[in-house]
Amino acid sequence: MTKFMIRNATSADCADLLRLIKELASYENMANAVKLTEKGLGIGSEILKRISQIAIQNRCCSMHFLVVGWNKASIEYYTKRGARDLSKQEGWHLFKFSKENMIKLASEE
């Protein structure tokens, strides 16, 4: 089994973080297709565990995050671990104002 350690990031980690971000963007169909796998490592589970530990230490009472609708594997992963789909169960919707829309709103009389 590959060894890894979850720790706070430093500036020396920037190249690796950028690589991970690019891989995620590809996985989410936002760049050239790259398929990530979870086989044998469990890094994602350990990251989620560490984020939960940090949140509890900082007295957070919940975590919110986004998953694209087509990503059924991630939806199932989070649901199995106790996350609730607010958009489905509580009727929440995520909205975005583009910069152009914000300029229009800011200039309304």
Side-chain angles (χ1 to χ4, degrees):
M1 179 178 211
T2 302
K3 299 286 182 180
F4 60 89
M5 179 178 67
I6 304 297
R7 58 172 173 72
N8 292 332
T10 67
S11 59
D13 298 313
C14 288
D16 287 327
L17 291 171
L18 180 58
R19 178 184 53 81
L20 291 171
I21 290 168
K22 286 181 178 179
E23 287 179 6
L24 178 60
S26 294
Y27 178 74
E28 298 289 354
N29 287 334
M30 296 177 183
N32 296 330
V34 172
K35 188 162 185 170
L36 301 176
T37 67
E38 298 177 23
K39 291 184 179 176
L41 296 178
I43 293 171
S45 296
E46 287 297 316
I47 290 171
L48 187 59
K49 177 181 173 181
R50 183 66 182 128
I51 290 170
S52 296
Q53 291 168 344
I54 293 168
I56 291 167
Q57 290 169 357
N58 287 284
R59 298 183 177 163
C60 293
C61 60
S62 65
M63 289 191 291
H64 294 218
F65 48 93
L66 302 172
V67 178
V68 294
W70 61 261
N71 192 342
K72 303 298 182 203
S74 291
I75 292 169
E76 289 177 21
Y77 175 86
Y78 294 124
T79 302
K80 285 180 183 176
R81 283 155 184 79
R84 291 184 313 162
D85 183 349
L86 297 181
S87 62
K88 189 180 252 185
Q89 295 178 0
E90 296 187 12
W92 287 87
H93 297 273
L94 175 67
F95 290 90
K96 174 186 173 183
F97 284 108
S98 67
K99 184 174 183 178
E100 293 80 21
N101 291 114
M102 292 188 303
I103 291 170
K104 286 178 188 176
L105 289 168
S107 63
E108 286 182 352
E109 292 186 31

